[in-house]
Amino acid sequence: MEHVPPPAEELALLDRELSQLDARRAHLLTRRAWLVGALEPQAPNAARWSTPPVGHGWAPGQPWGSTPRAAKPSTPHSAQNVLLALGGLLLTVAAVAFTLVSWGSMGIGGRSAVLALVTLAALAAPVVLLRRKLAATAEALAALALALTLLDVYAVHAVAAPDADGLTFTAVASAVLAALWAAYGLALDKLRLPLPAAVFFVQWPLLLGAWAAGAPAIVVGWAVLVTAVVDGAIALWGKGLGVRVTAGIGMAVMGSASLLTGLGESLTADGPLGAVLPGTLLLTAAVAALAGAWRAPNGYAQAGGVVAGLAAVAAVGGVLRTAVPGTWNVPVYLLCGLALLPVVRARLPRSAGRGVLAAAGAVVAGALLWALPPVAAVLLGPVELVAEVWAGAPDGFRGALGESMRWSGTAAAPVVLAVVAGLLGAAYRWWPSLVRVAAPLVTPGAKARGAAGAGALALGWGTPLLALATLGAPYQVAVAVETVLVAGLLLVAVRGAERGTGDAGTAEGDGAEAGAAGGGRSAVTVTALVGAVGGAVSVGLLSLASEAATYAVFGALTVLFAGAALRARAVVEQAVFAVAAVVWGTVLTGCAARSLELAPHQAAPLLLVVPAVTVLLGARLRLHPVASPVELTGALGALVAVGLAVPQAPFLALVLALCGVLAAGAAVRPERRPAAGYVAAVLFVAATWVRLAASEVSAPEAYTLPVTVPALVVGVLRRRKDPEASSWTAYGPGLAATLLPSLAVAWTDPDWLRPLLLGVAALVITLLGARYRLQALLLLGGAVLALDTLHELAPYVVQVAGALPRWLPPALAGLLLLAVGATYEQRLRDARRLKDLLGRMR
């Protein structure tokens, strides 16, 4: 019989045989690959046949037919570059050490001969290496030669010309090195280092030469400008990316230095003649930048246009500013910037024209940044009057703004604002014509028009205010003008809300940008809305200096905003205007209380006049979207009244009761009943408690039970009429009126009778709630019973806790947490059942 091994033994035998077959197959594949490579045509420098690779190269788990993956070798060129860089660096260090340390051990002839021979060898070696196509090695030796030429310059200065001026020698040497390396780079055009090095050396001859000659700053500026022009020419027509990048960096640095020099000289010039030379420098720089922008790519052309425009403005403005007082310098530059706008229509390239336009915008923006801080001082300065309400009308408008601003230097700021506002307003008015004119350069859309209109409106609002402060107008005139401006902004906002159109309007040439009726809100409308509210706050603060002005301003604001709310058609505008009118009315009532010389707690009931009006207004508006914001604003006024009455408990009880009446009046309306009803009940109960506490009542039940019994009777009747009514609505207020005050007194009562009676009553109420499935009775009675029991057991708990060991409470807490954690899901299900049970109760 044939022997059959057990399955486990047979499986191991099969695995060993398969492993041997895999190893043999991998070995044969490796041998085959080597033979194929040996039979291919040999490269000139390739090695001949050698010993085949040892090892099969197979790894367990590798599929059949796959050849072993060799490790990816490092890139030959990267390794070569690293080696060449290290070698060149070491040779450079050696040359420097030889020049600086070992120089004194040789004579003048030997030293000169060694440096000359080494430099010539370093310069000649790349020629031979390039012929043999060893470009990387040639670059390394060219870098070494560059360092050696610098050492040669140092050696010549130290030995041959030790008495020569350092700056002059450096200027000449940089010119020689620039010419040498330019010729060397043109001769060996395959090397990438020489020409950028030549461009680097070009930066220094003129600058260092002018500096060495002790030339004035304007001459240094001209030298730097010429260098920048040369750099620009190289950047445009230079050969190779490295050359152009180096020249571009040099042009940016030298051009900036030239412009800053010309600008500094122009700003410090004493007269027109002194500003002519810096202006000529700046104009030349502008012409050079514009000429470069004419031929540069798009992005660089736009930058060149910006530089040209700003340089031209600085040149012309620098001459003109010397003919006007110092406070009018900014308007001069602003007018020069606006004069750039006709240049946009010249036959400039599109990108260069955009750059000039951007330069004009930058000048306008800079002028606005100079003029806006005084406007902020005008709007925010009256904040200081809050600390001195009705201290008397100040001496002029400036007196109400404080001393933080020096108004003598802001005489030209209103002019700047007026010019820019007029420009933006004209653009907004004649937008289609502007679009046609600007079409070759830019294509502004509806949003741009909206921004122009909004800017014109905002600046037009700030201009007269700043003019009044600058001219030192009387206080009453300033208050009147600012109030009229608020009225104008309200008119613009209301008309914009009525139109409900987009920024583009219906102007032709702007595409179909007009919004549909009731559509998007324009930027002009939003600006007018924000400006009206902000201006109202500012003029309101300004009016606090005088009692008559306060009544006049806040009365006018209340009427204006209320009228705007009635006239507006958009919901957002209506809500903002109505809320603002409520706020101004509340301020008026506070002013009336101050005029009557009422204490803050005495003024609290008077402040409830406006909340009462808002409740009546809400009943009139009913489901209108503006009703809710108006009533909420009135509620905030009532909250302020409550805060004022807090120091005096009797007045606090009165105010709370009045607030409860207002909330009850709001609860008459079905849409307000769910929220206002609960608020009214809470306010009435709170007023009762405060009144009892103020009267030092020790038995509140005598006052609360007469309220509780009728309330419970009303609740029973309500439940009979409407069985679906909630138990909280029917019985909650009546029960809370007695249980909660009694609980509060019981916690401070040392006797045992009140806690006992309260606990019995709470137990009965809890049982009734469980029997008839009434949620209010169950929860209120249970909570009061638990708190009352806790109060009675607290002394004994404290005694027991003091008798227990210190370690026992933490241990019990830990055991409790473990038990809860172990039965977490069961407790969660129990909590859900309890929640569902309570939810099914009425």
Side-chain angles (χ1 to χ4, degrees), residues 663 667 672-685 726-730 732-733:
R672 295 286 183 263
R673 187 169 300 155
Y678 291 115
V679 173
V682 171
L683 289 173
F684 282 133
V685 173
S726 172
S727 61
W728 288 101
T729 305

Side-chain angles (χ1 to χ4, degrees), residues 37-63:
L39 294 176
E40 288 178 355
Q42 298 292 321
N45 296 330
R48 296 297 178 183
W49 290 6
S50 60
T51 305
V54 180
H56 53 75
W58 174 84
Q62 179 177 341

Side-chain angles (χ1 to χ4, degrees), residues 98 106-115:
F98 170 75
M106 301 179 63
I108 183 62
R111 289 178 287 185
S112 302
V114 169
L115 271 180

Side-chain angles (χ1 to χ4, degrees), residues 743 762 766 777-788:
L743 179 64
T766 304
L777 275 67
L778 180 63
L779 293 182
L780 272 176
V784 172
L785 179 60
L787 292 174
D788 187 65

Side-chain angles (χ1 to χ4, degrees), residues 407-469:
W407 300 104
S408 59
T410 61
V415 177
V416 172
L417 294 180
V419 170
V420 179
L423 181 67
L424 293 177
Y428 181 79
R429 175 63 181 83
W430 292 285
W431 188 256
S433 301
L434 179 64
V435 171
R436 286 193 294 270
V437 171
L441 297 179
V442 293
T443 54
K447 291 184 178 180
R449 186 192 184 196
L457 183 63
L459 296 178
W461 167 50
T463 299
L465 296 180
L466 186 56
L468 291 174

Side-chain angles (χ1 to χ4, degrees), residues 77-183:
H77 293 292
S78 61
Q80 181 186 23
N81 292 336
V82 171
L83 294 176
L84 292 174
L86 289 176
L89 180 62
L90 292 175
L91 288 175
T92 303
V93 172
V96 172
F98 170 75
T99 305
L100 299 179
V101 178
S102 301
W103 192 258
S105 60
M106 301 179 63
I108 183 62
R111 289 178 287 185
S112 302
V114 169
L115 271 180
L117 289 175
V118 173
T119 304
L120 290 176
L123 291 172
V127 179
V128 179
L129 293 173
L130 288 176
R131 290 177 182 175
R132 299 197 177 192
K133 299 181 179 181
L134 299 175
T137 308
E139 289 286 353
L141 289 178
L144 176 62
L146 177 62
L148 289 175
T149 53
L150 294 176
L151 292 176
D152 287 334
V153 170
Y154 168 76
V156 170
H157 180 266
V159 177
D163 298 331
D165 180 65
L167 289 176
T168 304
F169 184 84
T170 305
V172 175
S174 57
V176 173
L177 289 174
L180 171 65
W181 282 100

